[in-house]
Amino acid sequence: MSTQAVGTVASDVVAGLLGAGFNGAAWLPGDAEYDVQRKSVIPTVDSRPLVVAEAYSRTDVQAAVRAAREYGVPIAVQATGHGTRVPADGGILLKTSPMTSVLVDPERRIAKVGPGARWGAVIDAAGQFGLAPLSGSHRDVGVTGYTLGGGVGWLARKYGFAADSVIRAEVVTADGRLVTASAEHHPDLFWAIRGGTGNFGIVTSLEFRLYPVRQVHAGIVYYGIDHAADILRRYREWTTTIPNELSTAVVLTQLDGRRAVAIKVMYAGEADVAEHLLKPLFEVAGPRLAGELRSIEYGDAAMGGTPARHLDFLDVLTDDLIETLTTTDAMVEIRHWGGAMAHPGPGAGPVGHRSASFSLIIDREMPTLPSSGRTFVNFLGDPNRADTAYAPDDLRRLREVKRAYDPTNFFHLNANIRP
């Protein structure tokens, strides 16, 4: 299609948006804001949409869906861009980032947020009442995409995945309807979105539980790389003895230009208890090189993350794997799972591979490592592998819900679950 023809189609789509009742901003190729608005946080994603449309309300979202259907163009949704891994070429890139409302009900311990809200705003609003959300490792991560993909945070061993705390969502479906999904209304859709991501509609508001956590004992401490194998061997045994309030990860990383071992810690409780629990792990780690653990406000705990170029789940941390990992120069993060993540309440959504003991994240591809074939949507680099993020029975049910709500796979520019 020629540049002129593309421009004509783009103009027609904008006219369709306006005709459907869209009141947000729309940007076309050549507009000064177009290149700013189309960017993803993921540098390898270089979307070239016909139109970038900024939604200010749920009616704007409905209008965008109807216009995309009318003109037969694809639609992709982007709030913060953290989860955008499929280019939105030749269609509508719908930005929900302006929809940033955050409301906290301290009596019910519930937050209701717009699809553009980031965790920092929720942490700050909830923290005024001594409450905390099940947020991730960074304050600037978007709430909705993180939660719909499962959402594993540093309180997850105590309270479960973020998706498990969702109680209600407003969703614009593939035919442009606005529905409320909850345990009482559209329960099949409610089940599917709590782990199945944006395959079933566009969430325009999300309600979820908050928890009575004001302070945590947390931080990152560093030790010499020569103790890495001893730390990991102790770690695999020690993690079977600790309570769900304690979340940890062991990271093989760099400190001042040298290889080092970082131990990440968050304990939802008193400092003296945390230090007692950690003593068996620290006693094999050698002299501490840097870092400290402090009792701080939950919102001030900056835990960081490792780029997930390689992701797998481990049921056992074997000696052979420890040997392989401690002799590579890659950044490696082994994180303890289990606890409430593995034991959700009845009716929990399709968050995959709950029974894993550890997650393994490496900042580069490691094709020579043996793989379980399991993945997690929030960390999934290749969206074509979305099926591997779910247990077989959950995947079958997800496809049934997809056929019911989106039989033509209208929402496919994502970690796609096919009907």
Side-chain angles (χ1 to χ4, degrees), residues 14-104:
V14 171
L17 283 167
L18 297 175
F22 189 82
N23 291 310
W27 310 97
L28 298 175
D31 291 340
E33 195 69 12
Y34 174 83
D35 284 331
V36 175
Q37 295 294 335
R38 68 182 180 84
K39 284 186 177 179
S40 164
V41 172
I42 311 299
T44 56
V45 178
D46 185 27
S47 293
R48 299 286 175 173
L50 286 172
V51 180
V52 179
E54 285 190 286
Y56 298 156
S57 68
R58 62 191 185 186
T59 55
D60 283 347
V61 174
Q62 290 179 278
V65 169
R66 290 167 181 158
R69 296 204 74 102
E70 179 182 356
Y71 287 92
V73 297
I75 188 169
V77 183
Q78 179 174 301
T80 64
H82 285 82
T84 305
R85 299 187 183 273
V86 181
D89 295 339
I92 297 173
L93 177 59
L94 181 66
K95 299 288 294 290
T96 57
S97 46
M99 300 171 64
T100 58
S101 63
V102 174
L103 300 173
V104 170

Side-chain angles (χ1 to χ4, degrees), residues 85-86 199 308-313 353 360 365-366 370-391 395 399 414-418:
R85 299 187 183 273
V86 181
N199 275 282
R309 303 290 181 263
H310 175 99
L311 168 70
D312 204 357
F313 288 104
H353 313 307
L360 170 64
E365 297 291 343
M366 297 285 283
S371 172
S372 72
R374 297 175 291 182
T375 59
F376 191 71
V377 172
N378 286 146
F379 302 139
L380 188 60
D382 180 2
N384 295 315
R385 297 185 61 217
D387 289 0
T388 62
Y390 304 101
L395 182 59
R399 285 177 171 160
N414 48 35
N416 194 229
I417 297 169
R418 296 171 298 280

Side-chain angles (χ1 to χ4, degrees), residues 226-235 281 284-285 322:
D226 51 323
H227 292 277
D230 291 335
I231 292 170
L232 287 174
R233 283 192 290 266
R234 176 63 59 88
Y235 191 62
L281 181 62
V284 300
I322 290 173

